[in-house]
Amino acid sequence: MSRVGIEKESPIGKLVEIRNSLVGSFTQREVEVTAVLSSLISGEPCILVGPPGTAKTMLIETTAKMINAKYFYYLLTRFTEPDELLGVIDVRALREGRYQRITTNRLPEAHIVFLDEIFKASSSIRNILLDIILNRRILNGTEYVKLPLLTLYSASNEISTDAEDQPFYDRFTIRNFHSYVSEDAWTDLLDAGLTLIETKLNSTTISPLMNVDDVRTLQRLTLKRAISLRTNQQIKSKFIEALSLLKSKGIELSDRRKIKTLIVTSAISILYLEKSVSLDSLAEALRFTAVHEEDDMKKVEEVIMEAKLSSVADKIQKLQVMITELDNVIQLLKSSPSIENLKALNTVKNKILIELKQTPKNPRLLPYVQRLTPKINEAITLLKKYQEELFGGENAK
């Protein structure tokens, strides 16, 4: 896969820096980071769906802090009024016969908006949001006002199953379903979480790495790349094949969502520094745009494999297995130090080191390699410790 060379101070270079920082700060949230950043550079709305306490809010807020842009957050309830989002009515203007809002520090002035618990919003709030999502505007008095909005994020613990909510839900092009961090990564989770607490305790601010103009440059690049797909017969034919397979499994995308998928595909290809859109980027886009509910994730993965869209799916699975296997033998040695368990850890560690040398240097694999590295270091430390205890400093045989 050919990839573009980047300058650190270019918009793409800054985007990569943000991605690496987020992946390093949020344990097992590589997919969520991709979803959030794809939304940012495509301008397509994103919803994160997962149980409470899975870092949805913190991930989006941290992303917003890395961009020198105005940020608006609001936790929605069924009692939330439009004034709370758009600003209160200007009484002075009203006395002069003009109906307009005071939008200072409200949604209309924000570049990045995060509305939490989106399905709890009232119908009046949703109607307003539909126009904001579709047209980037609000009606302020008698005139429509264009918004500087870059993208809109939302989050929920679960999706709504009400039929009347489906048109609204369809507007969220990028959907991510996730759960708690797996047990093998709990140590990494605790370390990362305590690091974030330390940052707050020391009042350390996150320095912006990107500005609004950078994001708009990337959004224009995304759209240009999406338009260029009109002449990319491979992507179009594979996409149509995947759509047909999805339909056969009971998943049918709206006409709007089909087109939006190609925009998200283009954004992901930029995020991974591809010179042109790849089938891997199409596969990742489908994981975000083709899922309506969490149960669809398995069906989408089946389609990706059947249509042969992903070149790294098997390698990712292999790396995940290695992470789990290494963690298991580490825990076994800790709980029951013995020569047999020591040799088992040494064998697994050596096998993984050999396999890592044969792993291609693909940025899609990097997050999984990064998760494996501290496990290898921990294994080496434990081997040295227990070798000294059990063998008096001799190496394990």
Side-chain angles (χ1 to χ4, degrees):
M1 182 69 61
S2 61
R3 305 193 180 277
V4 298
I6 59 169
E7 297 180 5
K8 187 175 180 180
E9 295 305 314
S10 69
I12 294 180
K14 295 174 185 177
L15 178 68
V16 171
E17 190 173 356
I18 288 176
R19 185 180 190 279
N20 291 340
S21 177
L22 292 173
V23 167
S25 299
F26 292 89
T27 304
Q28 283 191 358
R29 294 291 176 238
E30 297 88 357
V31 176
E32 286 69 37
V33 169
T34 300
V36 168
L37 294 182
S38 297
S39 171
L40 179 68
I41 66 172
S42 68
E44 294 298 327
C46 171
I47 181 170
L48 301 179
V49 184
T54 49
K56 297 186 291 294
T57 301
M58 186 171 289
L59 173 58
I60 294 173
E61 287 186 351
T62 303
T63 302
K65 288 178 181 177
M66 290 183 171
I67 300 167
N68 191 17
K70 292 183 179 180
Y71 174 63
F72 179 77
Y73 167 86
Y74 212 83
L75 176 62
L76 299 175
T77 72
R78 57 180 176 168
F79 303 111
T80 302
E81 297 289 338
D83 289 0
E84 298 174 59
L85 302 183
L86 304 182
V88 298
I89 303 302
D90 188 336
V91 177
R92 181 179 298 179
L94 192 61
R95 289 171 181 165
E96 297 172 357
R98 292 179 291 112
Y99 183 92
Q100 63 184 48
R101 297 180 182 276
I102 299 175
T103 59
T104 306
N105 295 325
R106 297 285 117 181
L107 185 153
E109 294 190 353
H111 297 109
I112 297 175
V113 172
F114 176 30
L115 301 178
D116 206 354
E117 296 296 345
I118 194 72
F119 291 113
K120 293 182 180 178
S122 64
S123 59
S124 61
I125 294 292
R126 296 186 194 194
N127 289 336
I128 291 170
L129 291 177
L130 279 175
D131 198 25
I132 290 173
I133 292 172
L134 288 174
N135 302 306
R136 298 290 202 272
R137 68 181 186 181
I138 63 163
L139 183 62
N140 195 3
T142 59
E143 296 181 351
Y144 280 104
V145 177
K146 295 293 290 184
L147 303 181
L149 184 67
L150 293 172
T151 195
L152 185 146
Y153 297 107
S154 66
S156 179
N157 297 331
E158 57 186 6
I159 65 170
S160 172
T161 57
D162 293 343
E164 64 180 20
D165 292 336
Q166 299 316 303
F168 180 68
Y169 181 46
D170 192 60
R171 306 294 183 186
F172 288 91
T173 307
I174 297 173
R175 300 164 176 169
N176 170 259
F177 293 86
H178 60 274
S179 187
Y180 296 115
V181 167
S182 62
E183 186 173 351
D184 62 283
W186 283 355
T187 299
D188 297 337
L189 172 70
L190 297 177
D191 290 342
L194 292 173
T195 299
L196 288 172
I197 292 174
E198 181 184 29
T199 300
K200 290 184 178 180
L201 183 64
N202 295 334
S203 300
T204 304
T205 57
I206 298 175
S207 300
L209 299 174
M210 184 181 287
N211 58 39
V212 172
D213 289 339
D214 291 327
V215 177
R216 296 202 190 282
T217 296
L218 292 171
Q219 288 185 344
R220 288 192 294 270
L221 179 59
T222 296
L223 292 179
K224 287 180 180 179
R225 183 166 289 194
I227 292 170
S228 72
L229 293 179
R230 285 186 300 193
T231 58
N232 191 323
Q233 297 304 320
Q234 182 194 34
I235 294 293
K236 286 196 299 184
S237 62
K238 278 293 186 180
F239 183 34
I240 291 172
E241 178 185 351
L243 289 173
S244 179
L245 288 170
L246 285 167
K247 186 175 181 179
S248 70
K249 296 179 184 293
I251 300 175
E252 188 165 11
L253 279 63
S254 68
D255 291 346
R256 173 177 55 239
R257 184 164 288 272
K258 291 183 180 74
I259 298 169
K260 297 287 190 179
T261 295
L262 293 180
I263 297 176
V264 176
T265 299
S266 300
I268 292 173
S269 74
I270 292 171
L271 186 59
Y272 281 101
L273 308 180
E274 295 172 349
K275 288 184 177 180
S276 59
V277 176
S278 71
L279 293 177
D280 282 303
S281 289
L282 175 59
E284 289 202 43
L286 286 171
R287 292 187 180 106
F288 295 134
T289 63
V291 290
H292 184 272
E293 56 189 30
E294 191 168 7
D295 289 343
D296 291 339
M297 293 172 64
K298 183 178 180 180
K299 296 178 182 178
V300 172
E301 286 299 328
E302 289 173 354
V303 167
I304 288 171
M305 297 302 292
E306 290 174 26
K308 296 181 173 58
L309 298 183
S310 177
S311 65
V312 296
D314 58 333
K315 295 179 179 63
I316 289 175
Q317 185 178 30
K318 191 173 184 179
L319 285 167
Q320 289 174 324
V321 169
M322 286 194 288
I323 292 169
T324 301
E325 183 181 12
L326 185 57
D327 186 69
N328 286 341
V329 290
I330 285 174
Q331 299 307 319
L332 183 62
L333 180 61
K334 284 182 176 179
S335 62
S336 179
S338 67
I339 294 176
E340 182 180 348
N341 291 338
L342 184 69
K343 289 182 177 180
L345 178 57
N346 194 53
T347 299
V348 171
K349 182 262 296 182
N350 289 336
K351 181 185 72 172
I352 288 175
L353 288 175
I354 293 172
E355 291 178 342
L356 277 180
K357 289 181 180 180
Q358 299 171 350
T359 301
K361 293 183 178 180
N362 187 309
R364 285 184 167 85
L365 300 177
L366 181 60
Y368 303 93
V369 173
Q370 289 175 333
R371 282 173 51 196
L372 191 54
T373 300
K375 295 293 180 187
I376 294 173
N377 293 334
E378 183 181 2
I380 292 172
T381 300
L382 286 174
L383 285 169
K384 182 178 179 181
K385 174 185 175 181
Y386 288 113
Q387 282 170 358
E388 292 175 350
E389 291 182 5
L390 298 171
F391 293 97
E394 294 182 9
N395 292 329
K397 302 297 182 182

